[in-house]
Each structure stands twice: as structure tokens, then as C-alpha cells.
mmCIF file of all heavy atoms in Angstrom:
data_model
loop_
_atom_site.group_PDB
_atom_site.id
_atom_site.type_symbol
_atom_site.label_atom_id
_atom_site.label_comp_id
_atom_site.label_asym_id
_atom_site.label_seq_id
_atom_site.Cartn_x
_atom_site.Cartn_y
_atom_site.Cartn_z
ATOM 1 N N VAL A 1260 -67.921 29.396 10.302
ATOM 2 C CA VAL A 1260 -67.448 28.036 10.264
ATOM 3 C C VAL A 1260 -68.458 27.130 9.555
ATOM 4 O O VAL A 1260 -69.600 27.191 9.755
ATOM 5 C CB VAL A 1260 -67.161 27.435 11.696
ATOM 6 C CG1 VAL A 1260 -66.631 26.037 11.640
ATOM 7 C CG2 VAL A 1260 -66.131 28.340 12.337
ATOM 8 N N LEU A 1261 -68.021 26.243 8.705
ATOM 9 C CA LEU A 1261 -68.772 25.264 7.990
ATOM 10 C C LEU A 1261 -68.132 23.893 8.105
ATOM 11 O O LEU A 1261 -67.012 23.725 7.696
ATOM 12 C CB LEU A 1261 -69.001 25.775 6.473
ATOM 13 C CG LEU A 1261 -69.878 24.889 5.606
ATOM 14 C CD1 LEU A 1261 -71.265 24.794 6.156
ATOM 15 C CD2 LEU A 1261 -69.812 25.451 4.230
ATOM 16 N N ASP A 1262 -68.813 22.938 8.576
ATOM 17 C CA ASP A 1262 -68.292 21.574 8.718
ATOM 18 C C ASP A 1262 -67.044 21.576 9.527
ATOM 19 O O ASP A 1262 -66.083 20.847 9.111
ATOM 20 C CB ASP A 1262 -68.130 20.901 7.386
ATOM 21 C CG ASP A 1262 -69.443 20.442 6.780
ATOM 22 O OD1 ASP A 1262 -70.504 20.492 7.445
ATOM 23 O OD2 ASP A 1262 -69.412 19.922 5.597
ATOM 24 N N GLY A 1263 -66.859 22.397 10.489
ATOM 25 C CA GLY A 1263 -65.710 22.491 11.338
ATOM 26 C C GLY A 1263 -64.487 23.192 10.704
ATOM 27 O O GLY A 1263 -63.416 23.174 11.362
ATOM 28 N N HIS A 1264 -64.681 23.800 9.585
ATOM 29 C CA HIS A 1264 -63.590 24.493 8.919
ATOM 30 C C HIS A 1264 -63.969 25.912 8.702
ATOM 31 O O HIS A 1264 -65.139 26.351 8.706
ATOM 32 C CB HIS A 1264 -63.285 23.836 7.551
ATOM 33 C CG HIS A 1264 -62.648 22.498 7.661
ATOM 34 N ND1 HIS A 1264 -63.385 21.390 8.224
ATOM 35 C CD2 HIS A 1264 -61.452 22.023 7.401
ATOM 36 C CE1 HIS A 1264 -62.577 20.331 8.185
ATOM 37 N NE2 HIS A 1264 -61.380 20.636 7.733
ATOM 38 N N LYS A 1265 -62.931 26.712 8.609
ATOM 39 C CA LYS A 1265 -63.171 28.208 8.450
ATOM 40 C C LYS A 1265 -63.657 28.616 7.023
ATOM 41 O O LYS A 1265 -62.943 28.323 6.065
ATOM 42 C CB LYS A 1265 -61.870 28.989 8.807
ATOM 43 C CG LYS A 1265 -62.085 30.465 8.735
ATOM 44 C CD LYS A 1265 -60.773 31.231 9.293
ATOM 45 C CE LYS A 1265 -61.023 32.719 9.323
ATOM 46 N NZ LYS A 1265 -59.911 33.450 9.997
ATOM 47 N N LEU A 1266 -64.868 29.136 7.022
ATOM 48 C CA LEU A 1266 -65.412 29.637 5.747
ATOM 49 C C LEU A 1266 -65.088 31.119 5.526
ATOM 50 O O LEU A 1266 -64.902 31.506 4.407
ATOM 51 C CB LEU A 1266 -66.911 29.469 5.800
ATOM 52 C CG LEU A 1266 -67.639 29.939 4.599
ATOM 53 C CD1 LEU A 1266 -67.358 29.177 3.342
ATOM 54 C CD2 LEU A 1266 -69.220 29.929 4.797
ATOM 55 N N GLY A 1267 -65.016 31.898 6.628
ATOM 56 C CA GLY A 1267 -64.717 33.308 6.469
ATOM 57 C C GLY A 1267 -64.457 33.956 7.816
ATOM 58 O O GLY A 1267 -64.543 33.303 8.858
ATOM 59 N N GLY A 1268 -64.212 35.236 7.700
ATOM 60 C CA GLY A 1268 -63.934 35.960 9.002
ATOM 61 C C GLY A 1268 -64.284 37.424 8.778
ATOM 62 O O GLY A 1268 -64.601 37.921 7.729
ATOM 63 N N ILE A 1269 -64.224 38.158 9.931
ATOM 64 C CA ILE A 1269 -64.709 39.516 9.947
ATOM 65 C C ILE A 1269 -63.615 40.424 10.695
ATOM 66 O O ILE A 1269 -63.099 39.975 11.770
ATOM 67 C CB ILE A 1269 -66.046 39.674 10.772
ATOM 68 C CG1 ILE A 1269 -67.150 38.902 9.915
ATOM 69 C CG2 ILE A 1269 -66.475 41.148 10.908
ATOM 70 C CD1 ILE A 1269 -68.365 38.540 10.749
ATOM 71 N N LEU A 1270 -63.343 41.583 10.130
ATOM 72 C CA LEU A 1270 -62.440 42.508 10.734
ATOM 73 C C LEU A 1270 -63.133 43.833 10.777
ATOM 74 O O LEU A 1270 -63.480 44.482 9.795
ATOM 75 C CB LEU A 1270 -61.133 42.583 9.922
ATOM 76 C CG LEU A 1270 -60.185 43.673 10.388
ATOM 77 C CD1 LEU A 1270 -59.697 43.413 11.815
ATOM 78 C CD2 LEU A 1270 -59.064 43.886 9.426
ATOM 79 N N THR A 1271 -63.323 44.361 12.016
ATOM 80 C CA THR A 1271 -63.904 45.692 12.214
ATOM 81 C C THR A 1271 -62.836 46.641 12.576
ATOM 82 O O THR A 1271 -62.082 46.506 13.520
ATOM 83 C CB THR A 1271 -64.997 45.661 13.293
ATOM 84 O OG1 THR A 1271 -66.065 44.722 12.903
ATOM 85 C CG2 THR A 1271 -65.629 47.018 13.524
ATOM 86 N N GLU A 1272 -62.867 47.847 11.864
ATOM 87 C CA GLU A 1272 -61.962 48.905 12.170
ATOM 88 C C GLU A 1272 -62.797 50.206 12.471
ATOM 89 O O GLU A 1272 -63.882 50.394 11.865
ATOM 90 C CB GLU A 1272 -61.042 49.192 10.986
ATOM 91 C CG GLU A 1272 -60.073 48.001 10.756
ATOM 92 C CD GLU A 1272 -59.241 48.266 9.451
ATOM 93 O OE1 GLU A 1272 -59.671 48.951 8.552
ATOM 94 O OE2 GLU A 1272 -58.098 47.803 9.514
ATOM 95 N N THR A 1273 -62.334 51.013 13.370
ATOM 96 C CA THR A 1273 -63.186 52.162 13.835
ATOM 97 C C THR A 1273 -62.298 53.481 13.889
ATOM 98 O O THR A 1273 -61.032 53.365 14.116
ATOM 99 C CB THR A 1273 -63.809 51.912 15.201
ATOM 100 O OG1 THR A 1273 -62.718 51.699 16.166
ATOM 101 C CG2 THR A 1273 -64.751 50.782 15.146
ATOM 102 N N LYS A 1274 -62.945 54.606 13.860
ATOM 103 C CA LYS A 1274 -62.369 55.820 14.166
ATOM 104 C C LYS A 1274 -63.094 56.391 15.363
ATOM 105 O O LYS A 1274 -64.312 56.410 15.446
ATOM 106 C CB LYS A 1274 -62.354 56.815 12.995
ATOM 107 C CG LYS A 1274 -61.441 56.381 11.843
ATOM 108 C CD LYS A 1274 -61.268 57.451 10.797
ATOM 109 C CE LYS A 1274 -60.147 57.012 9.818
ATOM 110 N NZ LYS A 1274 -60.030 58.019 8.690
ATOM 111 N N ILE A 1275 -62.306 56.953 16.329
ATOM 112 C CA ILE A 1275 -62.877 57.425 17.642
ATOM 113 C C ILE A 1275 -62.711 58.925 17.771
ATOM 114 O O ILE A 1275 -61.675 59.514 17.440
ATOM 115 C CB ILE A 1275 -62.192 56.742 18.800
ATOM 116 C CG1 ILE A 1275 -62.065 55.169 18.638
ATOM 117 C CG2 ILE A 1275 -62.821 57.145 20.115
ATOM 118 C CD1 ILE A 1275 -63.460 54.472 18.648
ATOM 119 N N HIS A 1276 -63.796 59.546 18.309
ATOM 120 C CA HIS A 1276 -63.689 60.963 18.663
ATOM 121 C C HIS A 1276 -64.502 61.226 19.921
ATOM 122 O O HIS A 1276 -65.632 60.903 20.002
ATOM 123 C CB HIS A 1276 -64.194 61.842 17.544
ATOM 124 C CG HIS A 1276 -64.117 63.264 17.795
ATOM 125 N ND1 HIS A 1276 -62.891 63.986 17.871
ATOM 126 C CD2 HIS A 1276 -65.122 64.273 18.020
ATOM 127 C CE1 HIS A 1276 -63.115 65.245 18.102
ATOM 128 N NE2 HIS A 1276 -64.415 65.479 18.242
ATOM 129 N N LYS A 1277 -63.781 61.766 20.845
ATOM 130 C CA LYS A 1277 -64.392 62.109 22.226
ATOM 131 C C LYS A 1277 -65.130 60.983 22.819
ATOM 132 O O LYS A 1277 -66.276 61.049 23.270
ATOM 133 C CB LYS A 1277 -65.297 63.332 22.064
ATOM 134 C CG LYS A 1277 -64.583 64.580 21.719
ATOM 135 C CD LYS A 1277 -65.461 65.787 21.603
ATOM 136 C CE LYS A 1277 -64.706 67.092 21.413
ATOM 137 N NZ LYS A 1277 -65.580 68.313 21.241
ATOM 138 N N GLY A 1278 -64.503 59.748 22.735
ATOM 139 C CA GLY A 1278 -65.082 58.589 23.356
ATOM 140 C C GLY A 1278 -66.186 57.929 22.620
ATOM 141 O O GLY A 1278 -66.798 56.951 23.057
ATOM 142 N N GLN A 1279 -66.429 58.333 21.391
ATOM 143 C CA GLN A 1279 -67.481 57.669 20.569
ATOM 144 C C GLN A 1279 -66.915 57.270 19.258
ATOM 145 O O GLN A 1279 -65.948 57.875 18.676
ATOM 146 C CB GLN A 1279 -68.567 58.740 20.276
ATOM 147 C CG GLN A 1279 -69.384 59.213 21.501
ATOM 148 C CD GLN A 1279 -70.146 58.118 22.150
ATOM 149 O OE1 GLN A 1279 -70.943 57.454 21.460
ATOM 150 N NE2 GLN A 1279 -70.008 57.928 23.443
ATOM 151 N N ILE A 1280 -67.476 56.079 18.779
ATOM 152 C CA ILE A 1280 -67.071 55.715 17.383
ATOM 153 C C ILE A 1280 -67.781 56.618 16.372
ATOM 154 O O ILE A 1280 -69.065 56.701 16.376
ATOM 155 C CB ILE A 1280 -67.492 54.213 17.162
ATOM 156 C CG1 ILE A 1280 -66.848 53.332 18.174
ATOM 157 C CG2 ILE A 1280 -67.192 53.768 15.761
ATOM 158 C CD1 ILE A 1280 -67.244 51.864 18.165
ATOM 159 N N THR A 1281 -67.005 57.346 15.573
ATOM 160 C CA THR A 1281 -67.612 58.221 14.573
ATOM 161 C C THR A 1281 -67.799 57.545 13.237
ATOM 162 O O THR A 1281 -68.711 57.826 12.447
ATOM 163 C CB THR A 1281 -66.721 59.499 14.435
ATOM 164 O OG1 THR A 1281 -65.377 59.065 14.107
ATOM 165 C CG2 THR A 1281 -66.709 60.268 15.783
ATOM 166 N N GLN A 1282 -66.874 56.697 12.914
ATOM 167 C CA GLN A 1282 -66.959 55.877 11.609
ATOM 168 C C GLN A 1282 -66.442 54.478 11.887
ATOM 169 O O GLN A 1282 -65.582 54.241 12.736
ATOM 170 C CB GLN A 1282 -66.087 56.514 10.531
ATOM 171 C CG GLN A 1282 -66.645 57.939 10.098
ATOM 172 C CD GLN A 1282 -65.699 58.539 9.006
ATOM 173 O OE1 GLN A 1282 -64.460 58.440 9.181
ATOM 174 N NE2 GLN A 1282 -66.208 59.131 8.035
ATOM 175 N N ALA A 1283 -66.959 53.540 11.102
ATOM 176 C CA ALA A 1283 -66.507 52.185 11.178
ATOM 177 C C ALA A 1283 -66.451 51.506 9.828
ATOM 178 O O ALA A 1283 -67.296 51.857 8.995
ATOM 179 C CB ALA A 1283 -67.294 51.335 12.150
ATOM 180 N N VAL A 1284 -65.577 50.609 9.610
ATOM 181 C CA VAL A 1284 -65.627 49.789 8.360
ATOM 182 C C VAL A 1284 -65.562 48.328 8.865
ATOM 183 O O VAL A 1284 -64.756 47.871 9.677
ATOM 184 C CB VAL A 1284 -64.331 50.090 7.561
ATOM 185 C CG1 VAL A 1284 -64.209 49.032 6.432
ATOM 186 C CG2 VAL A 1284 -64.435 51.458 6.934
ATOM 187 N N ILE A 1285 -66.587 47.584 8.296
ATOM 188 C CA ILE A 1285 -66.670 46.166 8.660
ATOM 189 C C ILE A 1285 -66.272 45.390 7.425
ATOM 190 O O ILE A 1285 -66.813 45.463 6.335
ATOM 191 C CB ILE A 1285 -68.147 45.805 8.961
ATOM 192 C CG1 ILE A 1285 -68.669 46.543 10.189
ATOM 193 C CG2 ILE A 1285 -68.276 44.276 9.148
ATOM 194 C CD1 ILE A 1285 -70.082 46.500 10.443
ATOM 195 N N GLY A 1286 -65.105 44.695 7.561
ATOM 196 C CA GLY A 1286 -64.533 43.830 6.486
ATOM 197 C C GLY A 1286 -64.893 42.422 6.638
ATOM 198 O O GLY A 1286 -64.788 41.873 7.740
ATOM 199 N N VAL A 1287 -65.294 41.786 5.556
ATOM 200 C CA VAL A 1287 -65.624 40.343 5.552
ATOM 201 C C VAL A 1287 -64.909 39.628 4.422
ATOM 202 O O VAL A 1287 -64.874 40.161 3.319
ATOM 203 C CB VAL A 1287 -67.144 40.225 5.334
ATOM 204 C CG1 VAL A 1287 -67.591 38.710 5.346
ATOM 205 C CG2 VAL A 1287 -67.970 41.019 6.341
ATOM 206 N N GLY A 1288 -64.335 38.491 4.711
ATOM 207 C CA GLY A 1288 -63.745 37.624 3.713
ATOM 208 C C GLY A 1288 -64.483 36.253 3.764
ATOM 209 O O GLY A 1288 -64.650 35.689 4.799
ATOM 210 N N ILE A 1289 -64.898 35.789 2.627
ATOM 211 C CA ILE A 1289 -65.593 34.518 2.500
ATOM 212 C C ILE A 1289 -64.949 33.665 1.416
ATOM 213 O O ILE A 1289 -64.694 34.203 0.299
ATOM 214 C CB ILE A 1289 -67.062 34.665 2.203
ATOM 215 C CG1 ILE A 1289 -67.855 35.595 3.142
ATOM 216 C CG2 ILE A 1289 -67.749 33.333 2.008
ATOM 217 C CD1 ILE A 1289 -68.165 34.948 4.477
ATOM 218 N N ASN A 1290 -64.682 32.479 1.732
ATOM 219 C CA ASN A 1290 -64.095 31.558 0.743
ATOM 220 C C ASN A 1290 -65.133 31.137 -0.242
ATOM 221 O O ASN A 1290 -66.067 30.337 0.141
ATOM 222 C CB ASN A 1290 -63.459 30.358 1.423
ATOM 223 C CG ASN A 1290 -62.301 30.709 2.302
ATOM 224 O OD1 ASN A 1290 -61.515 31.626 1.999
ATOM 225 N ND2 ASN A 1290 -62.170 30.030 3.427
ATOM 226 N N TRP A 1291 -65.062 31.477 -1.463
ATOM 227 C CA TRP A 1291 -65.981 31.067 -2.478
ATOM 228 C C TRP A 1291 -65.403 30.009 -3.444
ATOM 229 O O TRP A 1291 -65.727 28.894 -3.345
ATOM 230 C CB TRP A 1291 -66.532 32.270 -3.318
ATOM 231 C CG TRP A 1291 -67.275 31.934 -4.516
ATOM 232 C CD1 TRP A 1291 -67.053 32.177 -5.832
ATOM 233 C CD2 TRP A 1291 -68.654 31.291 -4.455
ATOM 234 N NE1 TRP A 1291 -67.982 31.681 -6.638
ATOM 235 C CE2 TRP A 1291 -69.009 31.209 -5.855
ATOM 236 C CE3 TRP A 1291 -69.494 30.832 -3.488
ATOM 237 C CZ2 TRP A 1291 -70.235 30.595 -6.351
ATOM 238 C CZ3 TRP A 1291 -70.639 30.299 -3.855
ATOM 239 C CH2 TRP A 1291 -71.074 30.155 -5.232
ATOM 240 N N ALA A 1292 -64.507 30.463 -4.322
ATOM 241 C CA ALA A 1292 -63.926 29.548 -5.250
ATOM 242 C C ALA A 1292 -62.381 29.553 -5.183
ATOM 243 O O ALA A 1292 -61.689 29.052 -6.041
ATOM 244 C CB ALA A 1292 -64.415 29.803 -6.694
ATOM 245 N N ASN A 1293 -61.939 30.185 -4.138
ATOM 246 C CA ASN A 1293 -60.470 30.364 -4.014
ATOM 247 C C ASN A 1293 -59.829 29.163 -3.269
ATOM 248 O O ASN A 1293 -60.509 28.399 -2.512
ATOM 249 C CB ASN A 1293 -60.211 31.580 -3.166
ATOM 250 C CG ASN A 1293 -60.970 31.570 -1.824
ATOM 251 O OD1 ASN A 1293 -62.131 31.711 -1.846
ATOM 252 N ND2 ASN A 1293 -60.286 31.545 -0.711
ATOM 253 N N PRO A 1294 -58.548 28.935 -3.430
ATOM 254 C CA PRO A 1294 -57.877 27.917 -2.626
ATOM 255 C C PRO A 1294 -57.853 28.252 -1.189
ATOM 256 O O PRO A 1294 -57.777 29.431 -0.854
ATOM 257 C CB PRO A 1294 -56.466 27.874 -3.289
ATOM 258 C CG PRO A 1294 -56.264 29.151 -3.959
ATOM 259 C CD PRO A 1294 -57.626 29.619 -4.401
ATOM 260 N N VAL A 1295 -57.890 27.208 -0.372
ATOM 261 C CA VAL A 1295 -57.933 27.434 1.118
ATOM 262 C C VAL A 1295 -56.964 26.452 1.750
ATOM 263 O O VAL A 1295 -56.577 25.475 1.219
ATOM 264 C CB VAL A 1295 -59.320 27.121 1.695
ATOM 265 C CG1 VAL A 1295 -60.348 28.106 1.100
ATOM 266 C CG2 VAL A 1295 -59.771 25.694 1.397
ATOM 267 N N PRO A 1296 -56.429 26.926 3.004
ATOM 268 C CA PRO A 1296 -55.533 26.017 3.721
ATOM 269 C C PRO A 1296 -56.329 24.838 4.319
ATOM 270 O O PRO A 1296 -57.533 24.697 4.135
ATOM 271 C CB PRO A 1296 -55.090 26.927 4.870
ATOM 272 C CG PRO A 1296 -56.137 27.941 5.004
ATOM 273 C CD PRO A 1296 -56.684 28.174 3.655
#
């Protein structure tokens, strides 16, 4: 958050095997020069 507005967000996805996270992907979106709501 920047100045009370959303600058970006994070989405984490995982793969599980025998109760453990074996792989993960951390996704990030940041508003740079794109139009925003």
C-alpha cells in the first residue's frame, strides 16, 4: 500500500508432498505505468 491505495499484491502457490511444501511459486504484481482502479 502507498498513500492508502493498493500498489501491489502477492500470491503464493505451493505443491505438497507428505505434509511438506516441496515447491512454491511466489507471484507479485506491482503497478508501475499501468492504469489502475
Side-chain angles (χ1 to χ4, degrees):
V1260 178
L1261 181 62
D1262 284 354
H1264 291 68
K1265 184 170 182 174
L1266 177 67
I1269 297 161
L1270 173 65
T1271 301
E1272 297 177 328
T1273 59
K1274 289 191 175 179
I1275 309 296
H1276 181 67
K1277 294 183 177 179
Q1279 296 293 311
I1280 298 173
T1281 55
Q1282 293 177 319
V1284 170
I1285 299 168
V1287 180
I1289 303 285
N1290 298 322
W1291 170 247
N1293 53 293
V1295 297

